[in-house]
């Protein structure tokens, strides 16, 4: 009797929803690891390689500079370019000069970390386009539907990957690129008699910038929802070339509105439609809102700190804009429709 009981199979309880969702996220990461992980990492590495080449060329140029070429210092003395000593230059910096240096270092760090973000925009765009189309194309959707997974869970995992996982990985790659750039810059400074801590690490704010760009991810996740919703809707609906559907429908709608002055019926011009409809459907994956552009336009490099542009109060002020939440609501509606389409639509 005991032997018989021991040989009986033990029924396993189905995986809880809180366990299924991390598995779905892991699935998305491993299936798209090239775009999610390696693309921003390689982009950052290429930018560092180009930076290193530029530094070598600059060092050779300084070494081969004409001995008559000089730099005029604030105390009236001159220094030969050929014998450039950054330590002596640092002693001549006034308080205002140091403030401008700090802002310049922060701006340089942000520019150095831009490449992973540029790649991220394309990765997010094409990931969303293929998220629901590719599984129908290769018929893998039949396998995933045979599992105890709802369409809502599957679509939500893809949305989370697009709006949070991809930006998080790209941001970490950007931060790593930024610190590697500062190390290269430190070597360049030391090679010319400067103190990297005094000229780079102390004036700049690398750790604050890193924390700020990480804190900005949820804001731009909300901003991206209309584009993510539209692209996934096209991915779920189109039987072929979802890229053309996603691109041509908004653009041709904008052309139609412009040609026939449709927006005049609402006392608006065609530019409003292009900016608030077409751009929101196609460019939401770019982590730069209209409110951000307005803040950048009012930025004074001579008076304002570069940190103000990426600080949480500045970035999170986007959430006070009605445009953010209207776009998010529209994006969620399109995602719900994409979920319904995935439930019954397949190829053949």
């Amino acid at each position: 009797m005991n032997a018989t009981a021991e040989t009986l199979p033990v029924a396993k309880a189905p995986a809880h929803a809180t366990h299924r969702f991390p598995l779905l996220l892991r699935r998305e990461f491993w299936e798209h690891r090239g775009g999610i992980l390696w693309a921003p990492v390689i982009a950052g590495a290429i930018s560092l390689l180009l930076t290193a080449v530029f530094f070598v060329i600059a060092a050779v140029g300084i070494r081969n500079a004409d001995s008559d070429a000089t730099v005029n210092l604030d105390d009236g003395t001159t220094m030969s370019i050929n014998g450039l000593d950054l330590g002596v230059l640092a002693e001549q910096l006034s308080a205002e000069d140091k403030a401008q240096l700090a802002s310049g270092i922060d701006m340089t760090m942000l520019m150095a970390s831009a490449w992973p973000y540029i790649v991220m925009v394309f990765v997010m765009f094409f990931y969303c386009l293929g998220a629901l189309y590719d599984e129908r194309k290769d018929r893998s959707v039949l396998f995933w539907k045979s599992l105890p997974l709802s369409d809502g869970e599957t679509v939500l995992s893809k949305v989370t990957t697009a709006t949070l996982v991809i930006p998080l990985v790209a941001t970490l790659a950007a931060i790593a690129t930024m610190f590697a750039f500062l190390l290269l810059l430190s070597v360049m400074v030391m090679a010319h008699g400067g103190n990297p801590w005094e000229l780079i690490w102390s004036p700049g704010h690398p750790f604050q910038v890193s924390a700020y760009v990480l804190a900005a991810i949820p804001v731009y996740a909300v901003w991206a929802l209309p584009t993510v919703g539209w692209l996934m809707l096209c991915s779920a609906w189109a039987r072929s070339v979802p890229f053309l559907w996603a691109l041509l429908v908004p653009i041709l709608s904008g052309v139609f509105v412009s040609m026939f002055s449709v927006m005049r019926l609402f006392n608006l011009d065609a530019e409003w439609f292009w900016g608030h409809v077409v751009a929101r459907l196609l460019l939401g994956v770019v982590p730069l809102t209209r409110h951000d552009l307005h803040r950048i336009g009012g930025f004074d490099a001579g008076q304002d700190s570069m940190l103000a542009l990426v600080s949480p109060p500045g970035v999170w002020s986007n959430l006070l804009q009605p445009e953010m939440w209207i776009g998010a609501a529209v994006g969620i509606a399109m995602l719900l429709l994409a979920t319904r389409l995935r439930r019954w639509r397949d190829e053949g």
Side-chain angles (χ1 to χ4, degrees):
M1 181 71 178
N2 292 335
T4 305
E6 290 177 358
T7 58
L8 291 176
V10 178
K12 294 184 178 180
H16 193 270
T18 56
H19 299 156
R20 292 198 300 264
F21 192 73
L23 290 175
L24 286 172
L25 291 179
R26 191 179 303 175
R27 164 212 169 187
E28 294 300 323
F29 178 80
W30 285 109
E31 286 190 354
H32 302 89
R33 183 172 50 176
I36 295 175
L37 175 62
W38 294 115
V41 169
I42 292 173
I46 292 175
S47 71
L48 290 173
L49 177 62
L50 294 177
T51 300
V53 171
F54 172 78
F55 283 169
V56 170
I57 294 174
V60 172
I62 292 174
R63 185 176 298 274
N64 296 333
D66 191 340
S67 59
D68 293 334
T70 59
V71 176
N72 295 320
L73 303 181
D74 290 341
D75 60 0
T77 61
T78 60
M79 177 184 296
S80 171
I81 292 292
N82 205 314
L84 183 63
D85 189 337
L86 294 178
V88 175
L89 289 177
E91 296 176 356
Q92 307 295 322
L93 296 177
S94 63
E96 183 180 353
D97 293 334
K98 290 180 180 179
Q100 292 181 354
L101 175 63
S103 184
I105 292 294
D106 292 337
M107 181 177 293
T108 304
M109 288 191 299
L110 291 172
M111 293 176 63
S113 63
W115 282 44
Y117 286 119
I118 294 173
V119 171
M120 178 199 73
V121 170
F122 292 96
V123 171
M124 286 181 64
F125 189 94
F126 288 102
Y127 169 82
C128 293
L129 265 183
L132 302 176
Y133 173 77
D134 290 344
E135 64 179 10
R136 287 187 292 119
K137 185 178 179 180
D138 61 17
R139 309 287 292 183
S140 63
V141 66
L142 300 177
F143 168 75
W144 292 110
K145 284 187 175 183
S146 68
L147 300 178
L149 300 171
S150 68
D151 294 287
E153 287 177 313
T154 303
V155 173
L156 181 60
S157 70
K158 295 177 183 294
V159 174
T160 303
T161 300
T163 57
L164 294 176
V165 176
I166 294 177
L168 175 60
V169 175
T171 299
L172 294 176
I175 291 172
T177 302
M178 180 180 68
F179 276 92
F181 168 79
L182 291 179
L183 290 175
L184 289 175
L185 193 59
S186 298
V187 172
M188 186 72 172
V189 168
M190 286 190 296
H192 292 87
N195 183 343
W197 176 257
E198 183 181 2
L199 292 175
I200 299 174
W201 296 92
S202 181
H205 305 85
F207 294 101
Q208 281 183 271
V209 171
S210 300
Y212 288 175
V213 293
L214 286 171
I217 292 176
V219 177
Y220 295 113
V222 176
W223 172 254
L225 281 176
T227 301
V228 171
W230 168 246
L231 295 177
M232 286 196 178
L233 178 60
C234 292
S235 183
W237 177 77
R239 291 192 177 275
S240 61
V241 288
F243 175 78
L244 292 181
W245 285 104
L247 213 62
L248 291 180
V249 170
I251 292 177
L252 292 180
S253 299
V255 172
F256 176 84
V257 167
S258 299
M259 289 180 60
F260 296 97
S261 303
V262 176
M263 298 309 298
R264 289 185 179 177
L265 299 174
F266 307 96
N267 294 322
L268 298 170
D269 54 18
E271 291 183 3
W272 186 96
F273 186 86
W274 283 97
H276 289 81
V277 178
V278 179
R280 294 292 282 118
L281 291 179
L282 297 178
L283 300 179
V285 292
V286 179
L288 197 64
T289 70
R290 205 181 327 273
H291 181 61
D292 289 333
L293 293 175
H294 179 73
R295 292 193 302 117
I296 292 173
F299 177 75
D300 187 345
Q303 299 179 2
D304 301 329
S305 170
M306 190 66 196
L307 284 178
L309 292 179
V310 295
S311 64
V315 173
W316 282 70
S317 64
N318 282 294
L319 298 179
L320 300 177
Q321 310 302 314
E323 178 184 12
M324 286 282 288
W325 298 107
I326 294 173
V330 173
I332 291 172
M334 289 189 287
L335 288 170
L336 292 175
L337 182 55
T339 303
R340 296 287 295 181
L341 286 173
R342 185 184 186 272
R343 183 168 301 175
W344 57 264
R345 185 160 194 169
D346 57 49
E347 296 299 325

